[in-house]
Amino acid sequence: MGFLQAAAPVVQDPKGLAMIGAGIAAGGAVIGAGMGIGRIGGSAVEGMARQPEAAGKIQTAALILAALVEGAALFGVVVGFLIQGKITF
């Protein structure tokens, strides 16, 4: 029982949980962006393989969509770092 009583004050500290939340927010944003850009790239290559004459339009649209996904991911990472910056020990 001594271990549980010693760990109780650590678990009740909301600062540690906020740091974990900030890390999960930043990591989730990066993982989501990676998955989104991967799907965009894969679909663009598949579309270009099916219709080579439309490759220029598909490539342009894919680059714009990848930039939008990356921008959304950047906002997620910034929010995670802002949460981390608000925590004072």
Side-chain angles (χ1 to χ4, degrees), residues 1 5 36 54-55 62 67:
M1 278 310 233
Q5 291 171 352

Side-chain angles (χ1 to χ4, degrees), residues 14-58:
K15 295 175 186 175
L17 295 176
M19 293 292 278
I20 292 172
I24 290 173
V30 170
I31 289 171
M35 291 171 57
I37 291 174
R39 285 198 63 170
I40 290 170
S43 298
V45 169
E46 183 180 349
M48 286 184 229
R50 289 178 185 262
Q51 291 184 337
E53 66 274 4
K57 289 182 181 180
I58 294 172

